Amino acid sequence: MSGFQGKKNIPRITSDRLLIKGGKIVNDDQSFLADIYMEDGVIKQIGENLIVPGGVKTIDAHGRMLIPGGIDVHTRFQMPDRGMTAADDFYQGTRAALAGGTTMIIDHVVPEPGSSLVAAFEQWRSWADSKSCCDYSLHVDITDWHKGVQEEMETLVKDHGVNSFLVYLAFKDVFQLTDSQIYEAFSVIRDLGAIAQVHAENGDIVAEEQRRILELGITGPEGHVLSRPEEVEAEAVNRSITVSNQTNCPLYVTKVMSKSAADVIALARKKGTVVYGEPISASLGTDGSHYWSKNWAKAAAYVTSPPLSPDPTTPDYLTSLLSCGDLQVTGSAHCTFSTAQRAVGKDNFTLIPEGTNGTEERMSIVWDKCVVTGKMDENQFVAVTSTSAAKIFNLYPRKGRIAVGSDADLVLWDPDITKIISAKSHNLAVEYNIFEGMEVRGAPLVVISQGKIVLEDGNLHVTEGSGRYVARKPFPDYVYKRIKARSRLAELRGVPRGLYDGPVCEVSVTPKTVTPATSAKTSPAKQPVQPVRNLHQSGFSLSGAQIDDNVPRRTTQRIVAPPGGKANITSLG
Amino acid sequence: SAGHASQGCVWLCATSDRLLIKGGRIVNDDQSFYADIYMEDGLIKQIGDNLIVPGGVKIIEANGKMVIPGGIDIHTHFQMPYRGTTTVDDFSQGTKAALAGGTTMIVDHVIPDPGSSLIEAFDRWREWADEKACCDYSLHVDITHWNDSVKQEVESLLKEKGVNSFQVYMAYKDLYQMSNSELYEIFTFLGEMGGIVQVHAENGEIIAEEQARMLQMGITGPEGHVLSRPEELEAEAVFRAITIASQTNCPLYVTKVMSKSAADIISQARKKGNVVFGEPITASLGTDGTHYWSKNWAKAASFVTSPPLSPDPTTPDYLNTLLASGDLTLTGSAHCAFSVAQKAIGKDDFTQIPEGVNGVEERMSLIWDKAVVTGKMDENTFVAVTSTNAAKLLNLYPRKGRIAVGSDSDLVIWDSDAIRTVTAKTHHSAAEYNVFEGMELRGAPLVVICQGKIVLEDGKLQATAGSGRFIPCSPFPDFAYKRIKARKQLAVLRAVPRGMYDGPVSDFSPMSRGGTPSASARTSPTKQTPPVRNLHQSGFSLAGAPSTEETPIRPAGRRIVVPPGGRSNITSLS
């Protein structure tokens, strides 16, 4: 972990020690009235009539809610794309995050396929360290699969505090991995105690559909969503759940954009799969009907993958699933490009750089759509915007909770403020805001990051480079307690039946044969362990005598199943 | 024995060419009624009471028993070549077993060697079957590799050879397995040509990984087969196949539905409006995968088939329920019998065990016992799932699958009270094991009439090798394609007429693979229609003013078209 970089940035000496009086502390489990005293960026005391040093800056909360600062689990600030860079860099991006009540972001490192993961990680570190205004951490995307990747992943987990890796089921011939590679990657991720994240879309089908749509002469942004129907997203979610069940690896689905995909996740959770779903600001707040806008630039601003669903009932559905716990965390997938950058794809929608805004709007949108509507209470709000993310990525209770010893990242939340989102007033570098004109209720009044006031009276006081990299340890309890238990149970044993010693049919040597039975072709290069030869016990008996051979079924096989009953589970290596 | 049988025929043919069944209750898939049936030259000529028939006609008294259309076993693998040997039941043995069980037509799978000609393989299967089959038959052709010449062969099989169904494999990595892109192309093509896509649905990539893991753990017996192919992998592949079929607007047929999970996916998809048909087989309807743990290696190996039988013993009951409710559509046997010595090729490595189970003889009785006796379905639904639906899908209806004037006289007098115990000692298959060994089944054929001739009577089978005819199937069966055609007409995609963007464009390096997911550019097509340039209409508006722009939420130029259930864009008929 990099050191605390406070020396050069102490903009407001008074904010090193802070007392918040009369607030209602809201954690994910309960709300209660108490004062909070912070020093050196850490919460020191919580309670009433606290004894604090003199001259401490005091904020009077007047009974308003104090919530743990938001954690945006999915950002792509400053992301390189074909020689261009996403419009919001780590400064602009984290500044927007703070303006919206988010005090930590987790960005995605996207290594060039074939290049070093660690080098890319270092590159992102240096960008973020110099510019980030709030604490941050990094996911690393696996854009390629070979032996060296495995070693680099191990290094990243052990030496660099990374505990989550994303694989792509889409972007054929660029980032996309095959099912076998995903199986192997998940096995490695499980052994390392990390979280497998997926970008879930069937890239093969998308590529075919893109070709078809272009052949039809459809080149505008509507082609983007037409070539990526939501079924293709749901299919990939289903497939990654299947692989994660087989490998007993925890799964995290980034960007849940459609009802179908969310349904697949909800169903899998009922069957006991360890899977988490991340809807984003865009899928919770707007829909894909805008792809048909006559204004090309506006339509292009919505281009992201998986795309926003053209079904206008999607946001309401996803907010309901987020409220009932079928979906657990929210990110923004903030990745913005200017209109000129988008215009690279003006004649071909497949070239439009992808991504939407949402880091600034996330907290308010979730409040407006979920809490104001009565779908969730303020404690659940804290869970889905902060606590669950901290738990899944092993930052809890340092982040995601207001407690003694936790980081002093918190937000004084005003549930009554009403704002109209507009590109004219947002803190982003882009010309369009996909939530343009949306009126949202609920906004941060005061934002405290690392114990310093960064938003007060509508004014932002951020410091470029003050954000620290927060390392994350592997095997987060929240995720791995169940995985570990299943690993212990999932011992598979062969049936001790001695060797078959009856007649054996002669086979021709030609390996390629004419029957589906020749799955032999797929058998591993590594030779299996020879079975123990027991000459006293023959497994062969004459045919026709079956009714009488009272077979003890499954005496040695221990059937082990997770709740819901399926799947054999792998052992934790 | 073939000689004896044909001698028997000479005598039989003379008397059985004209047949009258009196006093039977005719059971079709839509209704049951009492009537007499008069047949001549292999066709049903009259149905009714007090029929006027020529003298000297052989008369069978049905005594109020049910007369049903002969069963159609839509999935068999008779005489299938396997590594230099052949499955033990050839077309003669196999069709005899079929007739003994009340099935009067089978549809076998042609499996061409990957890389070889589909038509040559088809001709070879025709030759084998023409020489030996004792009942009418049709053929599915499996597509084991994909390229332009295969595509041409598929077209001529469809148009000239009487094949309307083709199977693709999602399993058997590096052998038969197709990639998603290939599946997409095949589905698109068959959807346009009026064929039925059948899938062997299992995720072969994951199976290969799991097989390697099992063998490394030292699990080499038949239990390794089912452990390396958990039912989720079947369900996953079914899900994927449905997704691709839905994208390409192609009717889908899932062969061998073996697990609850796979069946659930099919029924969910049908509720959403997908044109998908599920085929549970005799084995999945009648037994389960607990036998893989049998201490008797030979017995355990006899259950090896893919997808495997589910170890969950509640599976057969569940699948019978879905078959009764219509979520699963038809039944086959996937009969593919190997001797113990052949199975023993895999005695040290379960991945080498030849795959396949018996079931062609037991299919009708088993479904009667599990589904009709239990009250899950009535006798009409029984006819639908054992015969009529298959005939409809193969485009053979009402020639097959129905008792009506003009239909083939393939029918069965069904004794709903007969009780038989299945055992390898008495079955007609040449295999030493029977996966239904010891099972007591109620319901059996009393008389079987095939091509107007009595082939089973008083428990005696009198079939003639080579009497079976190839029945060509034509494309675009209404049962599947009426809906597909309607959707094609609706599914016109249109671009938004917005003129060209004429604002600033950022510099970028198209060569770089880029650090962004948006680089799907790499996958963009070579063929590209340039959009029409309309200089009078600019699609660009100044930034910062988007709120003033009116948004057509449902743009006028685009017709939103959805199948029942509401999703997916559907392809257009080119």
Side-chain angles (χ1 to χ4, degrees):
Chain A
M1 195 190 311
S2 70
F4 177 56
Q5 305 180 356
K7 261 182 230 161
K8 57 177 183 185
N9 347 289
I10 304 176
R12 294 159 67 80
I13 292 171
T14 51
S15 67
D16 236 342
R17 292 171 171 186
L18 255 180
L19 179 66
I20 302 178
K21 283 185 78 92
K24 181 164 78 149
I25 296 174
V26 179
N27 279 321
D28 71 325
D29 56 343
Q30 58 173 348
S31 309
F32 57 96
L33 293 170
D35 300 343
I36 305 175
Y37 173 66
M38 293 161 265
E39 205 177 289
D40 302 328
V42 173
I43 297 171
K44 295 288 185 183
Q45 297 177 57
I46 293 177
E48 285 166 60
N49 309 315
L50 302 177
I51 298 162
V52 300
V56 165
K57 163 147 183 146
T58 304
I59 300 172
D60 204 319
H62 297 295
R64 285 205 182 80
M65 284 182 270
L66 266 169
I67 60 173
I71 300 175
D72 187 343
V73 278
H74 189 161
T75 65
R76 291 170 184 270
F77 296 147
Q78 213 165 330
M79 191 184 75
D81 178 5
R82 290 167 288 165
M84 305 180 289
T85 309
D88 290 314
D89 63 7
F90 276 97
Y91 170 71
Q92 198 82 36
T94 53
R95 190 167 172 274
L98 287 167
T102 292
T103 56
M104 177 172 184
I105 58 111
I106 312 184
D107 206 80
H108 277 268
V109 175
V110 191
E112 292 255 354
S115 70
S116 159
L117 266 55
V118 174
F121 171 82
E122 302 283 7
Q123 176 67 66
W124 256 257
R125 277 294 310 269
S126 75
W127 288 337
D129 281 343
S130 64
K131 293 197 164 178
S132 181
C133 307
C134 68
D135 286 353
Y136 74 97
S137 201
L138 295 170
H139 309 291
V140 176
D141 296 359
I142 310 287
T143 52
D144 197 10
W145 187 251
H146 52 82
K147 250 288 178 276
V149 173
Q150 189 171 333
E151 286 159 24
E152 288 206 297
M153 286 165 74
E154 196 171 337
T155 309
L156 286 167
V157 169
K158 293 191 171 148
D159 306 335
H160 296 286
V162 174
N163 72 4
S164 46
F165 298 93
L166 181 135
V167 298
Y168 293 88
L169 278 74
F171 307 112
K172 191 176 178 184
D173 300 331
V174 185
F175 297 150
Q176 187 175 321
L177 300 188
T178 66
D179 290 357
S180 307
Q181 290 170 330
I182 293 167
Y183 182 101
E184 285 170 26
F186 281 17
S187 301
V188 171
I189 288 170
R190 172 211 58 216
D191 289 346
L192 292 171
I195 315 290
Q197 300 186 304
V198 286
H199 175 114
E201 283 182 294
N202 187 315
D204 290 340
I205 302 179
V206 169
E208 298 282 344
E209 290 285 329
Q210 284 180 334
R211 182 174 310 129
R212 190 173 72 87
I213 300 288
L214 286 170
E215 275 169 9
L216 288 169
I218 300 175
T219 57
E222 69 277 16
H224 178 73
V225 64
L226 290 174
S227 63
R228 308 179 100 100
E230 69 178 75
E231 280 184 304
V232 167
E233 182 190 356
E235 187 285 316
V237 171
N238 186 61
R239 185 150 40 97
S240 44
I241 286 170
T242 306
V243 180
S244 79
N245 272 341
Q246 289 312 304
T247 51
N248 194 26
C249 176
L251 181 69
Y252 179 104
V253 180
T254 60
K255 289 190 175 181
V256 176
M257 304 300 280
S258 67
K259 292 160 122 179
S260 324
D263 281 342
V264 172
I265 294 170
L267 209 68
R269 289 178 63 87
K270 285 185 187 64
K271 289 180 182 164
T273 305
V274 182
V275 57
Y276 304 96
E278 169 206 279
I280 62 171
S281 315
S283 60
L284 295 169
T286 184
D287 63 58
S289 54
H290 303 278
Y291 292 117
W292 281 270
S293 168
K294 294 247 179 186
N295 177 347
W296 187 92
K298 180 177 176 185
Y302 289 84
V303 170
T304 188
S305 289
L308 286 156
S309 169
D311 177 349
T313 62
T314 304
D316 188 52
Y317 193 82
L318 295 182
T319 49
S320 294
L321 259 54
L322 184 63
S323 305
C324 77
D326 281 357
L327 301 172
Q328 300 74 34
V329 272
T330 54
S332 66
H334 190 97
C335 183
T336 49
F337 290 95
S338 69
T339 299
Q341 288 175 320
R342 301 269 189 191
V344 161
K346 69 189 171 61
D347 302 324
N348 178 345
F349 64 85
T350 67
L351 297 174
I352 301 172
E354 296 176 1
T356 50
N357 64 287
T359 194
E360 183 173 358
E361 300 82 4
R362 185 178 63 103
M363 305 279 283
S364 290
I365 285 176
V366 175
W367 185 272
D368 184 76
K369 300 274 180 191
C370 298
V371 186
V372 173
T373 57
K375 290 187 183 193
M376 58 171 71
D377 58 28
E378 78 251 23
N379 305 99
Q380 281 174 288
F381 172 76
V382 165
V384 301
T385 54
S386 178
T387 313
S388 297
K391 285 177 177 171
I392 291 171
F393 296 108
N394 227 356
L395 297 164
Y396 188 82
R398 178 182 169 186
K399 302 283 186 190
R401 186 168 187 85
I402 298 178
V404 172
S406 296
D407 280 359
D409 286 352
L410 28 93
V411 173
L412 188 59
W413 188 259
D414 187 339
D416 298 320
I417 301 181
T418 302
K419 279 200 312 194
I420 294 177
I421 299 173
S422 169
K424 288 171 193 154
S425 56
H426 69 195
N427 288 285
L428 309 174
V430 287
E431 303 97 324
Y432 280 86
N433 190 306
I434 58 165
F435 308 106
E436 187 72 36
M438 190 184 286
E439 194 178 291
V440 288
R441 184 185 295 232
L445 204 61
V446 176
V447 177
I448 295 160
S449 172
Q450 296 178 40
K452 294 181 185 62
I453 298 172
V454 292
L455 178 81
E456 198 178 17
D457 303 329
N459 298 316
L460 272 172
H461 310 280
V462 299
T463 312
E464 192 165 355
S466 63
R468 302 164 298 180
Y469 175 71
V470 182
R472 297 173 290 137
K473 291 199 175 69
F475 295 106
D477 269 355
Y478 188 66
V479 175
Y480 267 89
K481 275 183 184 167
R482 286 180 291 165
I483 296 287
K484 284 177 183 167
R486 294 177 193 189
S487 295
R488 280 193 297 271
L489 283 175
E491 233 176 274
L492 295 178
R493 290 205 204 94
V495 175
R497 59 164 77 83
L499 282 172
Y500 170 90
D501 50 11
V504 181
C505 184
E506 297 255 331
V507 288
S508 58
V509 245
T510 41
K512 272 223 169 174
T513 51
V514 193
T515 166
T518 33
S519 49
K521 290 282 292 182
T522 65
S523 72
K526 287 166 241 170
Q527 272 306 304
V529 180
Q530 283 300 309
V532 182
R533 211 170 248 279
N534 180 350
L535 295 174
H536 300 291
Q537 186 186 16
S538 165
F540 180 64
S541 78
L542 279 175
S543 61
Q546 302 161 77
I547 310 177
D548 315 312
D549 78 358
N550 48 348
V551 176
R553 285 189 192 173
R554 298 196 275 178
T555 45
T556 54
Q557 157 77 358
R558 189 160 167 201
I559 295 281
V560 173
K566 322 210 236 149
N568 58 315
I569 312 179
T570 50
S571 62
L572 190 70
Chain B
S1 74
H4 174 258
S6 51
Q7 270 170 18
C9 177
V10 173
W11 176 80
L12 258 178
C13 291
T15 52
S16 66
D17 237 342
R18 292 169 170 189
L19 257 179
L20 179 65
I21 301 178
K22 281 185 80 89
R25 188 156 64 102
I26 296 175
V27 179
N28 279 320
D29 70 328
D30 55 343
Q31 58 175 347
S32 310
F33 57 96
Y34 287 94
D36 300 342
I37 306 171
Y38 173 65
M39 293 163 264
E40 207 180 288
D41 302 327
L43 293 178
I44 297 172
K45 295 287 185 183
Q46 297 179 58
I47 294 178
D49 296 318
N50 308 316
L51 300 178
I52 300 164
V53 299
V57 165
K58 165 147 181 145
I59 297 173
I60 302 171
E61 284 291 346
N63 296 321
K65 288 209 161 55
M66 283 181 269
V67 185
I68 60 173
I72 299 176
D73 188 339
I74 195 161
H75 188 164
T76 66
H77 292 278
F78 295 147
Q79 212 165 331
M80 188 183 79
Y82 175 74
R83 297 165 102 178
T85 66
T86 317
T87 51
V88 290
D89 291 325
D90 63 8
F91 276 97
S92 166
Q93 195 88 31
T95 52
K96 275 179 194 156
L99 289 167
T103 291
T104 55
M105 177 176 182
I106 60 109
V107 191
D108 206 77
H109 278 267
V110 175
I111 310 178
D113 268 317
S116 71
S117 158
L118 268 58
I119 290 176
E120 278 171 27
F122 170 81
D123 289 340
R124 198 158 55 243
W125 255 259
R126 278 291 312 269
E127 205 176 296
W128 292 335
D130 282 342
E131 184 193 339
K132 294 193 167 176
C134 307
C135 67
D136 288 350
Y137 72 98
S138 283
L139 294 171
H140 309 291
V141 175
D142 295 1
I143 299 176
T144 51
H145 66 295
W146 183 245
N147 56 37
D148 278 343
S149 80
V150 173
K151 196 169 171 177
Q152 281 165 12
E153 289 199 302
V154 168
E155 187 168 346
S156 79
L157 285 165
L158 261 162
K159 290 184 172 164
E160 296 152 24
K161 302 280 186 178
V163 175
N164 79 355
S165 42
F166 298 85
Q167 172 161 291
V168 291
Y169 293 87
M170 296 167 84
Y172 307 112
K173 191 180 176 181
D174 299 331
L175 183 62
Y176 298 151
Q177 188 176 318
M178 295 284 163
S179 70
N180 292 335
S181 308
E182 288 169 328
L183 293 174
Y184 184 99
E185 284 178 25
I186 294 168
F187 284 32
T188 304
F189 181 65
L190 285 173
E192 284 164 5
M193 304 300 297
I196 305 285
V197 164
Q198 302 188 308
V199 286
H200 176 115
E202 282 183 296
N203 187 315
E205 302 253 330
I206 303 178
I207 288 170
E209 299 279 345
E210 291 286 329
Q211 284 180 334
R213 194 168 72 87
M214 291 304 148
L215 289 171
Q216 273 166 27
M217 292 171 75
I219 298 176
T220 58
E223 68 278 15
H225 177 73
V226 64
L227 290 173
S228 63
R229 304 177 103 101
E231 69 177 75
E232 278 185 304
L233 303 191
E234 184 191 353
E236 188 283 317
V238 170
F239 195 110
R240 186 151 39 97
I242 287 171
T243 306
I244 298 174
S246 166
Q247 287 313 302
T248 53
N249 195 25
C250 174
L252 181 72
Y253 179 110
V254 181
T255 59
K256 286 188 177 182
V257 176
M258 303 301 280
S259 66
K260 293 160 119 178
S261 325
D264 280 343
I265 303 278
I266 292 170
S267 53
Q268 264 168 39
R270 287 174 65 89
K271 282 183 189 67
K272 287 178 184 164
N274 288 300
V275 181
V276 56
F277 307 98
E279 168 207 280
I281 63 169
T282 320
S284 61
L285 293 167
T287 184
D288 62 55
T290 53
H291 304 277
Y292 292 118
W293 282 269
S294 167
K295 293 249 181 187
N296 176 347
W297 187 92
K299 181 179 175 183
S302 73
F303 286 83
V304 169
T305 189
S306 288
L309 286 156
S310 169
D312 175 350
T314 63
T315 304
D317 189 56
Y318 193 82
L319 295 182
N320 277 293
T321 303
L322 291 190
L323 184 62
S325 72
D327 282 1
L328 299 173
T329 311
L330 33 62
T331 56
S333 65
H335 187 95
C336 183
F338 288 99
S339 69
V340 171
Q342 286 174 318
K343 292 270 184 186
I345 292 164
K347 69 187 169 63
D348 300 323
D349 176 351
F350 65 86
T351 67
Q352 307 283 339
I353 301 172
E355 297 175 0
V357 290
N358 65 290
V360 70
E361 184 173 355
E362 299 80 4
R363 187 178 63 103
M364 305 278 285
S365 289
L366 192 127
I367 294 166
W368 187 272
D369 184 80
K370 299 279 178 192
V372 185
V373 172
T374 56
K376 286 179 198 271
M377 61 171 73
D378 57 28
E379 77 253 23
N380 304 100
T381 309
F382 172 76
V383 165
V385 300
T386 55
S387 179
T388 311
N389 289 346
K392 287 179 176 171
L393 205 58
L394 294 164
N395 228 352
L396 297 174
Y397 186 81
R399 177 179 176 184
K400 302 282 187 189
R402 186 166 188 87
I403 298 179
V405 173
S407 296
D408 280 359
S409 48
D410 287 352
L411 29 90
V412 173
I413 300 179
W414 189 258
D415 184 350
S416 53
D417 299 319
I419 295 179
R420 289 194 312 196
T421 301
V422 180
T423 168
K425 285 172 193 153
T426 57
H427 69 194
H428 288 81
S429 165
E432 301 99 322
Y433 278 84
N434 188 310
V435 296
F436 311 102
E437 188 71 34
M439 201 176 279
E440 199 178 273
L441 299 179
R442 183 181 296 233
L446 198 64
V447 176
V448 176
I449 295 161
C450 180
Q451 296 178 35
K453 296 179 182 62
I454 298 172
V455 293
L456 180 83
E457 197 178 18
D458 302 329
K460 287 188 198 95
L461 194 63
Q462 283 159 322
T464 314
S467 62
R469 303 163 296 181
F470 174 72
I471 310 289
C473 304
S474 52
F476 294 107
D478 275 353
F479 191 56
Y481 268 91
K482 275 187 184 164
R483 287 176 288 165
I484 296 285
K485 283 177 187 167
R487 293 176 194 190
K488 273 179 187 164
Q489 277 155 15
L490 285 175
V492 180
L493 296 179
R494 291 209 200 92
V496 175
R498 60 163 80 83
M500 300 289 294
Y501 170 90
D502 50 9
V505 180
S506 185
D507 282 334
F508 75 110
S509 48
M511 301 309 292
S512 162
R513 282 165 74 123
T516 165
S518 66
S520 52
R522 294 273 302 179
T523 66
S524 76
T526 43
K527 285 167 260 174
Q528 214 173 294
T529 319
V532 182
R533 209 170 252 277
N534 180 351
L535 295 174
H536 300 291
Q537 186 186 18
S538 165
F540 180 64
S541 76
L542 279 176
S547 59
T548 57
E549 184 234 357
E550 51 150 350
T551 311
I553 294 291
R554 287 291 170 194
R558 168 158 214 256
R559 187 153 168 209
I560 297 278
V561 173
V562 283
R567 332 215 226 136
S568 93
N569 59 313
I570 313 178
T571 52
S572 65
L573 187 70
S574 56

